[in-house]
Amino acid sequence: LAVEESVRLMGDRADVARRRAHWMRRQLAEIEVPPTVRDAVVERAARLGPDAGAVLRAAAVLAESATETVLTAVTGICSERAGAGLAEALGCGLLADDGRGKVSFRHVLACRAVYETIPAPHRRMLHHRAGQALEAAVPVPVAALARHFREAGETERWCHYSERAADLSLAAGDEATAETLLCDLVVHGLLGEHDLIRLTAKIPFATLTGPARYREVARILESTLGSASLAVADQAEIRFHLGRVLMSMGEIHRSRIEFERAAPHLGHDPVAAARAMIILGWPHTTDWPAATHLRWLRKAAEVDAQMAAADRLCLTVDRMTALLMLGEEEGWQEAARLPAAAGDAREQLQVARAHLNVGDEAMRWGRYAVAARHLAIALKLTEAHGYPRYRDLVRAARVRLDWFTGAWTGLRETAAAIADDEDIHPLVRLEAVLVTGLLDAVGGAGERAEAGLTRVIEGARQHGVVEYMESAATLARLRLAAGDVAAALQATAAPTALVTSKKTWVWATDIAPARVSALVAAGKVDEAGELAAAFGRGVRDGGAPAPRCAWLVCDAMLAAARGEHGRAALVFADAAAAWQSLPRPYDALLARERQAICLLSAGEPEAARTLLAEVRAGLTDLGATGDADRVAAALREQGLSVPSGWRGGRRGYGDQLSPRELEAVRLLVDGRTSQQIGRALCRSSKTVDTQLKSAMRKLGVSSRTALALRAVEVGAVAAQTRPPA
C-alpha cells in the first residue's frame, strides 16, 4: 500500500516523469505522505491509549531509532507509564524493536504521518526535550542536535551544533552534507557579520547544487553589504565571498566587479587576496586582453604567506588553470608540480579539481590522450569522494572529448541524458547540448543543429561565458553550405573579435578556419589573410597542437583562394595528417576532402576521385552521414557511380573487422591490456572489451590469445614481437 500510494501521489503531482525510456523522480524537499497512508496510520494511532500516543509522538519527533530512556525523556511522562505505552505501541505494529534495545517506526511514512498530527507548540516542546536528552549521548549526535534545537526555535544552540556537524562532515570528506548545513545557517541563522563571514568561508561551493541555493546565499551577502557599520576589511571579505557565489552561478561579470573591489582590501587574509587575484586572472571577460589577466596572475604569485596545504593547493590549481586557458606553457609547468595524492579531504577535492581542469584544458590545446588520462582520474576521485557537481563536469568534458576523438558510438544518447537532466547545473548541461548540436550538424539535421547551437550561444551569453567558439564555427559552416555568406560572417564576427582583442589564440582552433572560410566566400581574401597571419604568429611558438592544425587549414584555404591549388593540396594533406595524429578524425577527413577539391582544380582528377572515395567511406564509418552525402555528390559530379549510404546507423562490416576493431586487435597483438588499449585509442576499457568480443565472434575464436593468433594468421594484422596479453 505504501509503495502503490506513494507512486500514485508522485504521479498526480508530476514528481515522476518519463525520460528517454526511463522513469525519473524530481528532487523533493521532503517526503510527503499519501493521504490514504496518512489516514490509515492516524486511525491506528487514535485507537491507542494516551501513553502509547505520547510514545508515538516522541518517536516521530526523534525520527531515528532511540533507547527507551531517551523516548521516556521526550514523552515527559514517568518511566512506568512510558514503558506501558511503548509496549502498546510495539504491539500495534507501528513501532519495532531492533533487538539491540532501540525502537523506531517500522516505516518512515508512518513516522511522518504521526509527526504531522502534532500541534506546532507541542512539537517545539518535544524537540526541546529531544535536544536536552541527546546532549548527554556519547558520541554527541551533533546533526540530530542541530535539527532538534532548530525545530525548537533555539537559534543559538542550533547554530552551534549545526556548525559542529558541518565541520565533522568537512573533515570526513562529506562536502554535500556540509554545504547543506552551512548554507542553511547562512540563509536562516540570523548571523552577525563576523559569523556570516566565517561560515560562508567554509561553504564548499564545489558541491553547491541548484540555482535557488546560490541565490539565497547571494541575497544574504548582498543585504549584509548594505550595513553602514561594516568595516572596510569585513566588507572586502563579504565581497570576496559574494564574488565566489556569483561565479558559481555563472554571473561572471558581476563576480569580477566584486573581486576587483575586494582585492585591494584583503591584506589581512592573504589566501583570499591571492584567490581574488587569480580569479581576476581567468579570461572570463570580454573587455580585458590576455596581458591584463596575466598581470593579475603574476601579482597573485607574489603573495607569500603561511597557509594551509589545502589552501596553497587550491591557489595552485586555480593559477594553473588560468594559465592554460590563456595558452601559456607555464601552466603545464604548474600542472607537473601538482601532487599525485592528497592528505585530508580538502586536499582530495583540490586534486580531483586539478585533474578535471587539466583534462579540460588539454582538450583546448589538442592534447587528447592527456585529457583522457586526467579525466579518468578526476571521475574516479569525484565518485569516490562525493563531489556531484565536479562529477557532472567530468561527464560533460568526457562527452566533448569523445566528440573530438571520433568515439561517436552511443555519444548522442550519453549527451542527451546529461542535457535533459534538470538536476545538473545549466552551464554543464550546455556542454552536452553543444555535442548533440554538433552531431546533428554532421548528420545532416541542419535545422535541429542550428536550434541546439543557437541555444548554446544564448545560454553562454546569459551566464556571462565568453567562449562559444565551436557553436559559432559550426553555425557558420552550416550557413555557408546553405549559401548564406552574410549569415556566416555574422556568426563568426563577435567570437573572432574576442579572440583577436584578447590575443587568446589557443581559443581560435574552431573559429579561425570558419571565419577565414566565410571571408574567402565573401571575396575578402586580404582580410582573411590578415587574420590567418595573426593566428599563425599567435600559435607558431606555442605547444598547443590543435590551434596549429587549424592554422594549417587557414593557410591552405588562402592558398586555394589565391589560385595556388597545388600548394593548397599539399598543406591540406599536412593538416589532415596533423589532425589525425591528435587524434581528431572528423577534422582530418574534412581537410582531406578539401585536399581532393584542390587536386581537381590542379588537374589531378584520378587522385582526387580516389581520395574523395576514401573520405566518403571514412565519414560514413564515423557517422557523419550529412558530410558523406556531400562527398558522394562531388563523386557523382565526377561521373562516378556512388551507392546510396546506409541510414540505419553506423556502417556494418558483416564478418569483416571494422576499422575500430582492427585498431584494438592490432594493439592486443602488441601485448596491450584493455586499459592500455583504451588509453592509446582514447576509448573506455568497456568499449575496447566490446570491440574485442565482436572481433572474436567474427573470427570464430573464444579467447584473446586465440584472437591475436587468428588475426595474424588471416593477415588482418601483422605479427608483433611481444606475446599477446
Side-chain angles (χ1 to χ4, degrees), residues 670-692:
D670 194 34
R672 311 283 185 95
T673 65
S674 291
Q675 289 79 7
Q676 291 168 334
I677 295 171
R679 285 195 294 270
L681 300 177
C682 294
R683 302 173 194 166
S684 70
S685 58
K686 184 177 179 181
T687 298
V688 172
D689 288 337
T690 300
Q691 291 165 345
L692 292 177

Side-chain angles (χ1 to χ4, degrees), residues 183 208 263 292 371:
C183 285
L208 204 60
T292 301

Side-chain angles (χ1 to χ4, degrees), residues 412 436-446 449 453 474 477-478 586 626-627:
R412 175 180 296 280
T436 58
L438 295 172
L439 289 170
D440 285 334
V442 302
L453 296 170
T474 306
R477 193 164 72 241
L478 289 170
Y586 177 65
D627 294 281

Side-chain angles (χ1 to χ4, degrees), residues 59-91:
V61 165
L62 287 165
E64 298 174 355
S65 59
T67 64
E68 184 175 346
T69 301
V70 172
L71 269 175
T72 300
V74 177
T75 62
I77 59 180
C78 70
S79 58
E80 185 178 345
R81 289 176 55 193
L86 175 58
E88 186 178 0
L90 289 168

Side-chain angles (χ1 to χ4, degrees), residues 1 33-47 94 110 113:
L1 176 66
V33 185
T36 49
V37 174
R38 181 191 60 226
D39 293 345
V41 171
V42 170
E43 181 183 353
R44 289 173 67 188
R47 293 199 294 266
L94 285 173

Side-chain angles (χ1 to χ4, degrees), residues 564-580:
E564 303 168 9
H565 300 295
R567 177 178 174 273
L570 291 173
V571 179
F572 274 127
D574 290 343
W579 283 126
Q580 191 62 45

Side-chain angles (χ1 to χ4, degrees), residues 378-390:
L379 182 61
K380 182 179 179 180
L381 291 172
T382 55
E383 289 181 340
H385 298 294
Y387 308 135
R389 186 180 178 196
Y390 281 147

